[in-house]
Amino acid sequence: MGMNREPDEVELSSDIRHAAAELRDRFGGCPEPALLLASGAGVLPADLNTRVIAHLENCSVCKSMAQDLADLHEAPMPEQDRMKVWGQIRVGIAAEGPREGESSFARRRWQSIFRPLTIAAAATAVILISISVMVGVKLRRGSPGGHESAVLNGIPEPAASQPVGQASPEQSNPSPSAGSAFRLEKAPVRLPASAVMVWRGQADSGNPQGKELEEALAPYRADNYAEAEQRLERVARKYPRLGEARFYLGICQLFLNQNQEAAANLKMGRSLVQKQLAAAADWYLALAYHRSGQDSEARPLLEKLCRAAGKNSARACAALSESSTAQ
Amino acid sequence: MEMADFEATYRAHVDAVFRYALKIAGNRELAEDITSEAFLELYRNWGSLDLGRLPAWLFTVAKNRAVDYWRKTAVERRFVESVPAAQTTAAIEPGLESWILEEPALKPIHRVCLVMHFVHGMSRAEIGQRVGLSEVQVKGHLQYGLQLLRKAWNSIQAGVRHGDESGARRSGAL
């Protein structure tokens, strides 16, 4: 086995290197260290275990190695590794769905809100909520004033309210309900650092893309997604490497129920956005896939987010769980 | 079951379970898988398990998973082939070998890193994988060992020459 020489070893004298090569020739055929400990723990198959034990009785280096490995006092597990394993567990839990006799976490939340209602009352409530949200969305879209960002449940717009020239939305998945993990929430605006540092306060900046992006996002901030979509589309075409334009364009299209267009733009943008938006881009792309009926495409993204630590982890895990329940 | 309770139990025991899994699995990635499977099994049995049996119960699950891993035909075959069949007595030779094994200034972690590197030809990343350390930590341990080795090399060589001469006198060559 060839030795990977590290830079600090280059400084070793030739006779040390020669002695090391001799050591390797003498003991390089010894079993992998993993086997030494596994043998001590009693987890090896019998034949393999017998061979390892016999070798240990006759090899000073391996005997020492086995003892040293057993004595090692490893440092506490780093927090990020704890989170990584926790994420794996969450993926596993989500994949199994709710336990027998118990509700999923999302379903319990839903039930705790609506349990007291009769079926008829629940149906009436859903209809009334739907109408009020549709009216609210229509009003917000019409006026560019400073409205607070809304948590919309993605209920489709009536066809008449679609801007002229926009394709009819293709719906594959019914809009998620208020308690759904797949609910659509607006992402806060976060400009790429280069754009913020270069153009703010500098009218004749050599980097106009930041300024144009900021201007295109003005209707987005005001929840006017149709207008924002048109402006962001222009910016995205003009600056193909500006991932943020594609990112917010995709979100606008989700609000407009143009899910397949949203998926295409989010897919293009996710590899180009600043690092801080990468996980959010994956989330919205997964959402777009889900809303387009492409859950097989959404799943790997949700699993990746669920495993990772971060703000998007909890909702990705909840979405996975909900998705498993629905199958 | 509340997820918060399960997570609290996870945090209380994950370090110990992971260290155990690392020892019996031999590499970090597999140890992480074994650890997560042990806690998944705990999740499935939550409500019917006496939590006073933790973490021993988790160690048992981890051990069973490791046994399954090592028993997989391909894994077993690969490792059986890697263990030398012919066993010969190997006395400790003077020089680098005895220095690594007997130098009191070397702690177990230094020896492990040096042997994995010099004998098994592993890179820092591979060593880190095996023992649950970062590459930076492994680099530090290797550097410490190599510095000691450089300082001790002349004594090591002197010891080797002395041993050679003694051997030659005994055999009548000198």
Side-chain angles (χ1 to χ4, degrees):
Chain A
M1 183 190 307
M3 191 166 77
N4 301 302
R5 190 176 301 168
E6 307 291 358
D8 34 337
E9 289 174 53
V10 176
E11 298 172 9
L12 287 177
S13 61
S14 61
D15 47 352
I16 293 181
R17 288 206 298 274
H18 179 71
E22 281 186 342
L23 197 68
R24 191 166 59 256
D25 288 341
R26 199 162 131 77
F27 294 101
C30 289
E32 267 218 29
L35 286 174
L36 306 179
L37 269 182
S39 170
V43 295
L44 292 182
D47 177 44
L48 183 54
N49 198 44
T50 302
R51 292 171 75 125
V52 172
I53 290 173
H55 178 83
L56 278 171
E57 285 170 3
N58 294 297
C59 179
S60 54
V61 169
C62 286
K63 198 183 301 185
S64 169
M65 180 68 135
Q67 185 61 50
D68 285 337
L69 286 170
D71 290 344
L72 269 189
H73 172 68
E74 293 96 348
M77 201 176 177
E79 178 61 20
Q80 68 181 43
D81 290 352
R82 283 199 204 105
M83 292 303 299
K84 182 183 172 191
V85 173
W86 178 244
Q88 285 176 280
I89 294 168
R90 293 293 301 270
V91 169
I93 290 172
E96 292 188 7
R99 300 190 315 155
E100 207 169 308
E102 286 193 16
S103 306
S104 69
F105 300 114
R107 191 184 293 162
R108 275 209 302 277
R109 194 187 320 153
W110 175 261
Q111 289 176 344
S112 70
I113 294 169
F114 287 93
R115 190 179 292 122
L117 298 176
T118 63
I119 294 175
T124 306
V126 166
I127 291 167
L128 287 173
I129 290 169
S130 303
I131 293 171
S132 65
V133 170
M134 281 195 293
V135 169
V137 167
K138 192 173 177 180
L139 285 174
R140 272 193 293 272
R141 186 189 275 186
S143 58
H147 295 276
E148 290 177 7
S149 64
V151 174
L152 298 180
N153 59 15
I155 292 179
E157 297 287 321
S161 70
Q162 291 293 325
V164 174
Q166 296 297 328
S168 300
E170 295 176 40
Q171 297 293 328
S172 296
N173 262 324
S175 302
S177 51
S180 169
F182 286 105
R183 66 183 180 278
L184 176 61
E185 294 177 352
K186 183 176 168 184
V189 171
R190 181 177 275 174
L191 295 175
S194 55
V196 172
M197 289 171 65
V198 172
W199 76 263
R200 282 231 170 118
Q202 298 173 21
D204 300 318
S205 159
N207 183 10
Q209 62 182 358
K211 188 174 178 189
E212 290 180 44
L213 177 63
E214 176 79 16
E215 287 170 353
L217 285 169
Y220 173 87
R221 290 181 195 275
D223 304 333
N224 185 349
Y225 301 112
E227 178 65 26
E229 189 212 11
Q230 292 181 14
R231 293 193 191 187
L232 286 165
E233 180 74 55
R234 282 196 291 271
V235 173
R237 271 201 301 269
K238 190 173 176 183
Y239 304 107
R241 302 289 303 168
L242 186 57
E244 283 73 11
R246 295 275 173 201
F247 173 69
Y248 290 107
L249 172 59
I251 295 176
C252 289
Q253 287 171 332
L254 283 172
F255 278 110
L256 297 171
N257 290 307
Q258 295 164 21
N259 299 313
Q260 293 194 356
E261 292 87 339
N265 280 304
L266 287 163
K267 190 174 176 184
M268 272 191 272
R270 68 190 275 259
S271 60
L272 298 170
V273 291
Q274 55 187 300
K275 198 172 154 188
Q276 293 87 337
L277 284 182
D282 282 349
W283 164 253
Y284 284 103
L285 178 55
L287 199 53
Y289 281 141
H290 171 74
R291 287 155 66 105
S292 307
Q294 301 176 69
D295 278 324
S296 59
E297 297 291 327
R299 188 164 194 84
L301 291 167
L302 293 173
E303 286 175 351
K304 179 183 156 193
L305 288 168
C306 182
R307 276 196 294 271
K311 289 182 290 194
N312 294 288
S313 173
R315 59 182 173 178
C317 295
L320 270 175
S321 179
E322 187 175 312
S323 172
S324 301
T325 309
Q327 285 170 6
Chain B
M1 176 187 80
E2 288 298 328
M3 191 54 120
D5 292 339
F6 179 68
E7 186 175 357
T9 304
Y10 166 78
R11 287 191 168 275
H13 298 296
V14 64
D15 279 22
V17 175
F18 177 73
R19 279 198 292 270
Y20 177 68
L22 192 59
K23 283 182 177 157
I24 60 178
N27 79 75
R28 188 181 204 90
E29 202 172 314
L30 180 59
E32 287 172 355
D33 289 345
I34 287 176
T35 304
S36 65
E37 285 181 32
F39 280 96
L40 262 175
E41 194 61 28
L42 174 64
Y43 172 82
R44 292 181 194 113
N45 289 278
W46 193 272
S48 61
L49 179 69
D50 172 13
L51 296 184
R53 293 173 59 190
L54 301 179
W57 187 91
L58 289 163
F59 292 151
T60 303
V61 174
K63 183 175 176 178
N64 291 340
R65 292 290 182 272
V67 168
D68 292 342
Y69 166 75
W70 289 109
R71 269 195 192 144
K72 277 184 203 164
T73 310
V75 171
E76 182 180 351
R77 188 183 311 128
R78 176 164 71 93
F79 282 104
V80 164
E81 287 167 1
S82 75
V83 180
Q87 307 293 338
T88 54
T89 302
I92 299 178
E93 297 238 336
L96 184 57
E97 180 183 337
S98 64
W99 180 82
I100 288 178
L101 297 180
E102 293 165 1
E103 169 58 53
L106 289 176
K107 293 200 178 87
I109 187 58
H110 303 125
R111 253 193 310 276
V112 164
C113 289
L114 286 169
V115 170
M116 283 190 177
H117 186 60
F118 281 117
V119 172
H120 295 279
M122 292 183 190
S123 65
R124 289 177 198 161
E126 287 167 334
I127 296 172
Q129 264 281 329
R130 300 297 194 277
V131 300
L133 294 176
S134 68
E135 273 191 61
V136 171
Q137 288 172 313
V138 171
K139 177 182 174 180
H141 293 315
L142 278 174
Q143 282 180 333
Y144 174 80
L146 291 175
Q147 277 168 13
L148 275 182
L149 177 59
R150 281 193 202 95
K151 285 181 192 163
W153 187 244
N154 288 338
S155 306
I156 294 170
Q157 288 293 81
V160 170
R161 280 194 294 274
H162 179 70
D164 287 346
E165 287 168 4
S166 298
R169 271 196 290 274
R170 278 198 298 273
S171 69
L174 289 177

